[in-house]
Amino acid sequence: MSAVCRKAKLEDVEPLYQMIQGYAEKGIMLPRSKKVLEKQIGEFVVAESEGHVIGCGSLCQLGSDLVEIRSLGISEGYKGQGIGSMLVDTLLEEAKRRELPKVMALTYEVSFFIKNGFAVVEKEIFPEKVWTDCIHCKKQHACDEIAVLKVLN
């Protein structure tokens, strides 16, 4: 099985929506409407294999020097094959291209991010994230996600 990462296109909205919705129903990812996905499609990358979207991730700029990896997911049956790391590498390259030195994520998969060069940090150091997304989250006062950060050279 070979997969490639590429910028998402409008025709990817439906598979993106389905993948993200599956994670959201499990309470491990914030849901995104199709309308929001259409609006933010330029921020997404997808992993594709044999013409099918099998993974996704996006960047959200939170400040002048900070970007967040969000909506990172892999389809069932494709996990553990390095596709997540391919997506993260693609997103990190995009952050470098934009000259954004800090990349953060909130995650339940801490070991995955550590393996990809991130370090665990206190989420309180990201007020940009709190005021952008956390104020809308139902877990706002009992957040159990772990913050990770990678500083790019």
Side-chain angles (χ1 to χ4, degrees), residues 58-105:
S58 70
L59 288 180
C60 177
Q61 191 161 344
L62 297 174
S64 61
D65 67 345
L66 178 65
V67 69
E68 177 189 13
I69 291 179
R70 56 165 50 171
S71 301
L72 183 66
I74 309 296
S75 295
E76 291 300 325
Y78 293 94
K79 295 178 181 176
Q81 299 179 30
I83 296 164
S85 293
M86 282 177 43
L87 286 163
V88 167
D89 288 346
T90 301
L91 293 167
L92 292 174
E93 285 302 317
E94 178 62 17
K96 286 179 188 173
R97 190 189 68 72
R98 294 186 197 177
E99 298 180 351
L100 294 163
K102 296 188 291 186
V103 182
M104 63 86 62

Side-chain angles (χ1 to χ4, degrees), residues 8-121:
K9 303 179 278 194
L10 278 175
E11 50 266 29
D12 298 321
V13 167
E14 184 62 32
L16 285 172
Y17 174 78
Q18 295 298 329
M19 188 175 310
I20 292 168
Q21 191 62 24
Y23 279 96
E25 288 169 1
K26 295 174 186 170
I28 53 178
M29 191 179 287
L30 290 175
R32 304 272 184 247
S33 69
K34 290 179 186 178
K35 190 174 217 66
V36 166
L37 290 172
E38 288 172 4
K39 184 178 174 189
Q40 297 176 348
I41 198 70
E43 302 301 319
F44 275 84
V45 295
V46 297
E48 183 179 64
S49 179
E50 299 175 1
H52 298 285
V53 172
I54 58 168
C56 65
S58 70
L59 288 180
C60 177
Q61 191 161 344
L62 297 174
S64 61
D65 67 345
L66 178 65
V67 69
E68 177 189 13
I69 291 179
R70 56 165 50 171
S71 301
L72 183 66
I74 309 296
S75 295
E76 291 300 325
Y78 293 94
K79 295 178 181 176
Q81 299 179 30
I83 296 164
S85 293
M86 282 177 43
L87 286 163
V88 167
D89 288 346
T90 301
L91 293 167
L92 292 174
E93 285 302 317
E94 178 62 17
K96 286 179 188 173
R97 190 189 68 72
R98 294 186 197 177
E99 298 180 351
L100 294 163
K102 296 188 291 186
V103 182
M104 63 86 62
L106 290 178
T107 186
Y108 295 108
E109 300 293 337
V110 176
S111 61
F112 167 80
F113 279 94
I114 289 172
K115 182 180 85 176
N116 282 280
F118 287 73
V120 174
V121 294

